[in-house]
mmCIF file of all heavy atoms in Angstrom:
data_model
loop_
_atom_site.group_PDB
_atom_site.id
_atom_site.type_symbol
_atom_site.label_atom_id
_atom_site.label_comp_id
_atom_site.label_asym_id
_atom_site.label_seq_id
_atom_site.Cartn_x
_atom_site.Cartn_y
_atom_site.Cartn_z
ATOM 1 N N ALA A 17 -63.851 -57.151 -61.273
ATOM 2 C CA ALA A 17 -63.299 -56.057 -62.063
ATOM 3 C C ALA A 17 -61.921 -55.675 -61.600
ATOM 4 O O ALA A 17 -61.078 -55.236 -62.382
ATOM 5 C CB ALA A 17 -64.232 -54.840 -61.988
ATOM 6 N N LEU A 18 -61.681 -55.832 -60.312
ATOM 7 C CA LEU A 18 -60.389 -55.450 -59.748
ATOM 8 C C LEU A 18 -59.274 -56.285 -60.331
ATOM 9 O O LEU A 18 -58.166 -55.801 -60.544
ATOM 10 C CB LEU A 18 -60.428 -55.632 -58.228
ATOM 11 C CG LEU A 18 -59.209 -55.149 -57.442
ATOM 12 C CD1 LEU A 18 -59.052 -53.654 -57.637
ATOM 13 C CD2 LEU A 18 -59.374 -55.492 -55.986
ATOM 14 N N SER A 20 -59.344 -57.718 -63.233
ATOM 15 C CA SER A 20 -59.546 -57.823 -64.673
ATOM 16 C C SER A 20 -58.466 -57.094 -65.437
ATOM 17 O O SER A 20 -57.553 -56.494 -64.882
ATOM 18 C CB SER A 20 -60.914 -57.225 -65.026
ATOM 19 O OG SER A 20 -60.892 -55.834 -64.782
ATOM 20 N N GLU A 21 -58.636 -57.111 -66.739
ATOM 21 C CA GLU A 21 -57.681 -56.412 -67.594
ATOM 22 C C GLU A 21 -57.686 -54.917 -67.318
ATOM 23 O O GLU A 21 -56.668 -54.243 -67.445
ATOM 24 C CB GLU A 21 -58.022 -56.697 -69.056
ATOM 25 C CG GLU A 21 -56.985 -56.164 -70.026
ATOM 26 C CD GLU A 21 -57.259 -56.625 -71.434
ATOM 27 O OE1 GLU A 21 -57.921 -57.665 -71.598
ATOM 28 O OE2 GLU A 21 -56.813 -55.938 -72.348
ATOM 29 N N GLU A 22 -58.849 -54.376 -66.888
ATOM 30 C CA GLU A 22 -58.928 -52.955 -66.537
ATOM 31 C C GLU A 22 -57.969 -52.632 -65.402
ATOM 32 O O GLU A 22 -57.245 -51.645 -65.426
ATOM 33 C CB GLU A 22 -60.360 -52.596 -66.138
ATOM 34 C CG GLU A 22 -60.511 -51.136 -65.695
ATOM 35 C CD GLU A 22 -61.922 -50.851 -65.200
ATOM 36 O OE1 GLU A 22 -62.764 -51.765 -65.273
ATOM 37 O OE2 GLU A 22 -62.152 -49.727 -64.758
ATOM 38 N N TRP A 23 -57.940 -53.524 -64.376
ATOM 39 C CA TRP A 23 -57.019 -53.313 -63.253
ATOM 40 C C TRP A 23 -55.575 -53.403 -63.712
ATOM 41 O O TRP A 23 -54.732 -52.607 -63.337
ATOM 42 C CB TRP A 23 -57.295 -54.353 -62.174
ATOM 43 C CG TRP A 23 -56.369 -54.178 -61.015
ATOM 44 C CD1 TRP A 23 -56.520 -53.369 -59.936
ATOM 45 C CD2 TRP A 23 -55.121 -54.828 -60.836
ATOM 46 N NE1 TRP A 23 -55.456 -53.470 -59.100
ATOM 47 C CE2 TRP A 23 -54.568 -54.350 -59.626
ATOM 48 C CE3 TRP A 23 -54.390 -55.765 -61.578
ATOM 49 C CZ2 TRP A 23 -53.366 -54.783 -59.136
ATOM 50 C CZ3 TRP A 23 -53.180 -56.194 -61.101
ATOM 51 C CH2 TRP A 23 -52.674 -55.691 -59.892
ATOM 52 N N LEU A 24 -55.295 -54.379 -64.569
ATOM 53 C CA LEU A 24 -53.928 -54.538 -65.039
ATOM 54 C C LEU A 24 -53.475 -53.319 -65.837
ATOM 55 O O LEU A 24 -52.336 -52.871 -65.717
ATOM 56 C CB LEU A 24 -53.823 -55.795 -65.911
ATOM 57 C CG LEU A 24 -53.847 -57.122 -65.160
ATOM 58 C CD1 LEU A 24 -53.947 -58.273 -66.139
ATOM 59 C CD2 LEU A 24 -52.607 -57.264 -64.309
ATOM 60 N N SER A 25 -54.377 -52.784 -66.642
ATOM 61 C CA SER A 25 -53.987 -51.639 -67.451
ATOM 62 C C SER A 25 -53.655 -50.442 -66.574
ATOM 63 O O SER A 25 -52.756 -49.665 -66.883
ATOM 64 C CB SER A 25 -55.103 -51.283 -68.438
ATOM 65 O OG SER A 25 -56.266 -50.854 -67.741
ATOM 66 N N LYS A 26 -54.379 -50.268 -65.465
ATOM 67 C CA LYS A 26 -54.057 -49.186 -64.537
ATOM 68 C C LYS A 26 -52.700 -49.412 -63.896
ATOM 69 O O LYS A 26 -51.935 -48.485 -63.685
ATOM 70 C CB LYS A 26 -55.136 -49.085 -63.462
ATOM 71 C CG LYS A 26 -56.479 -48.595 -63.969
ATOM 72 C CD LYS A 26 -57.486 -48.531 -62.827
ATOM 73 C CE LYS A 26 -58.842 -48.084 -63.320
ATOM 74 N NZ LYS A 26 -59.828 -48.042 -62.215
ATOM 75 N N ALA A 27 -52.412 -50.673 -63.579
ATOM 76 C CA ALA A 27 -51.139 -50.975 -62.933
ATOM 77 C C ALA A 27 -49.971 -50.700 -63.854
ATOM 78 O O ALA A 27 -49.007 -50.046 -63.486
ATOM 79 C CB ALA A 27 -51.114 -52.422 -62.462
ATOM 80 N N VAL A 28 -50.077 -51.189 -65.078
ATOM 81 C CA VAL A 28 -48.921 -51.096 -65.967
ATOM 82 C C VAL A 28 -48.760 -49.708 -66.569
ATOM 83 O O VAL A 28 -47.729 -49.393 -67.137
ATOM 84 C CB VAL A 28 -49.011 -52.150 -67.093
ATOM 85 C CG1 VAL A 28 -49.059 -53.532 -66.503
ATOM 86 C CG2 VAL A 28 -50.208 -51.909 -67.989
ATOM 87 N N SER A 29 -49.790 -48.859 -66.426
ATOM 88 C CA SER A 29 -49.660 -47.511 -66.967
ATOM 89 C C SER A 29 -48.579 -46.722 -66.264
ATOM 90 O O SER A 29 -48.077 -45.748 -66.794
ATOM 91 C CB SER A 29 -50.998 -46.769 -66.853
ATOM 92 O OG SER A 29 -51.317 -46.564 -65.487
ATOM 93 N N LYS A 30 -48.212 -47.173 -65.055
ATOM 94 C CA LYS A 30 -47.180 -46.482 -64.296
ATOM 95 C C LYS A 30 -45.806 -47.082 -64.505
ATOM 96 O O LYS A 30 -44.846 -46.683 -63.889
ATOM 97 C CB LYS A 30 -47.527 -46.503 -62.806
ATOM 98 C CG LYS A 30 -48.872 -45.849 -62.520
ATOM 99 C CD LYS A 30 -49.087 -45.660 -61.035
ATOM 100 C CE LYS A 30 -50.419 -44.972 -60.771
ATOM 101 N NZ LYS A 30 -50.607 -44.675 -59.354
ATOM 102 N N VAL A 31 -45.705 -48.089 -65.366
ATOM 103 C CA VAL A 31 -44.445 -48.775 -65.591
ATOM 104 C C VAL A 31 -43.835 -48.286 -66.890
ATOM 105 O O VAL A 31 -44.475 -48.311 -67.928
ATOM 106 C CB VAL A 31 -44.649 -50.306 -65.646
ATOM 107 C CG1 VAL A 31 -43.320 -50.995 -65.802
ATOM 108 C CG2 VAL A 31 -45.346 -50.774 -64.386
ATOM 109 N N LEU A 236 -47.358 -59.222 -68.706
ATOM 110 C CA LEU A 236 -48.546 -59.261 -67.862
ATOM 111 C C LEU A 236 -48.998 -60.696 -67.651
ATOM 112 O O LEU A 236 -48.787 -61.566 -68.491
ATOM 113 C CB LEU A 236 -49.686 -58.462 -68.507
ATOM 114 C CG LEU A 236 -49.358 -57.018 -68.909
ATOM 115 C CD1 LEU A 236 -50.580 -56.377 -69.548
ATOM 116 C CD2 LEU A 236 -48.892 -56.223 -67.714
ATOM 117 N N VAL A 278 -45.229 -57.228 -64.470
ATOM 118 C CA VAL A 278 -46.373 -57.190 -63.566
ATOM 119 C C VAL A 278 -46.870 -58.615 -63.371
ATOM 120 O O VAL A 278 -47.392 -59.208 -64.291
ATOM 121 C CB VAL A 278 -47.499 -56.303 -64.135
ATOM 122 C CG1 VAL A 278 -48.690 -56.279 -63.189
ATOM 123 C CG2 VAL A 278 -46.986 -54.885 -64.388
ATOM 124 N N VAL A 400 -47.221 -56.245 -56.778
ATOM 125 C CA VAL A 400 -46.996 -55.242 -57.812
ATOM 126 C C VAL A 400 -46.466 -53.966 -57.187
ATOM 127 O O VAL A 400 -47.072 -53.423 -56.272
ATOM 128 C CB VAL A 400 -48.307 -54.952 -58.564
ATOM 129 C CG1 VAL A 400 -48.075 -53.960 -59.680
ATOM 130 C CG2 VAL A 400 -48.885 -56.245 -59.110
ATOM 131 N N VAL A 402 -46.619 -50.828 -57.564
ATOM 132 C CA VAL A 402 -47.249 -49.570 -57.953
ATOM 133 C C VAL A 402 -48.328 -49.256 -56.941
ATOM 134 O O VAL A 402 -48.854 -50.125 -56.261
ATOM 135 C CB VAL A 402 -47.853 -49.667 -59.378
ATOM 136 C CG1 VAL A 402 -46.774 -49.814 -60.407
ATOM 137 C CG2 VAL A 402 -48.831 -50.840 -59.477
ATOM 138 N N ASP A 403 -48.664 -48.001 -56.820
ATOM 139 C CA ASP A 403 -49.643 -47.547 -55.829
ATOM 140 C C ASP A 403 -50.950 -47.225 -56.548
ATOM 141 O O ASP A 403 -51.061 -46.242 -57.257
ATOM 142 C CB ASP A 403 -49.101 -46.313 -55.108
ATOM 143 C CG ASP A 403 -50.048 -45.840 -54.020
ATOM 144 O OD1 ASP A 403 -50.911 -46.644 -53.605
ATOM 145 O OD2 ASP A 403 -49.917 -44.681 -53.606
ATOM 146 N N LEU A 404 -51.952 -48.061 -56.360
ATOM 147 C CA LEU A 404 -53.241 -47.880 -56.992
ATOM 148 C C LEU A 404 -54.259 -47.399 -55.969
ATOM 149 O O LEU A 404 -54.106 -47.613 -54.775
ATOM 150 C CB LEU A 404 -53.718 -49.198 -57.614
ATOM 151 C CG LEU A 404 -52.740 -49.860 -58.595
ATOM 152 C CD1 LEU A 404 -53.322 -51.169 -59.070
ATOM 153 C CD2 LEU A 404 -52.457 -48.948 -59.759
ATOM 154 N N GLN A 405 -55.307 -46.794 -56.442
ATOM 155 C CA GLN A 405 -56.375 -46.391 -55.531
ATOM 156 C C GLN A 405 -57.090 -47.616 -54.980
ATOM 157 O O GLN A 405 -57.444 -47.688 -53.809
ATOM 158 C CB GLN A 405 -57.362 -45.486 -56.260
ATOM 159 C CG GLN A 405 -56.768 -44.127 -56.615
ATOM 160 C CD GLN A 405 -57.801 -43.238 -57.289
ATOM 161 O OE1 GLN A 405 -58.886 -43.666 -57.626
ATOM 162 N NE2 GLN A 405 -57.438 -41.980 -57.466
ATOM 163 N N GLU A 406 -57.286 -48.616 -55.837
ATOM 164 C CA GLU A 406 -57.906 -49.845 -55.375
ATOM 165 C C GLU A 406 -56.840 -50.720 -54.721
ATOM 166 O O GLU A 406 -55.671 -50.667 -55.064
ATOM 167 C CB GLU A 406 -58.537 -50.614 -56.543
ATOM 168 C CG GLU A 406 -59.659 -49.866 -57.238
ATOM 169 C CD GLU A 406 -59.148 -49.040 -58.403
ATOM 170 O OE1 GLU A 406 -57.924 -48.793 -58.447
ATOM 171 O OE2 GLU A 406 -59.953 -48.636 -59.245
#
Side-chain angles (χ1 to χ4, degrees):
L18 186 62
S20 67
E21 187 172 336
E22 177 185 356
W23 180 86
L24 285 171
S25 65
K26 291 180 182 179
V28 300
S29 66
K30 301 190 178 185
V31 183
L236 307 179
V278 180
V400 183
V402 293
D403 183 18
L404 306 177
Q405 291 182 352
E406 297 92 342

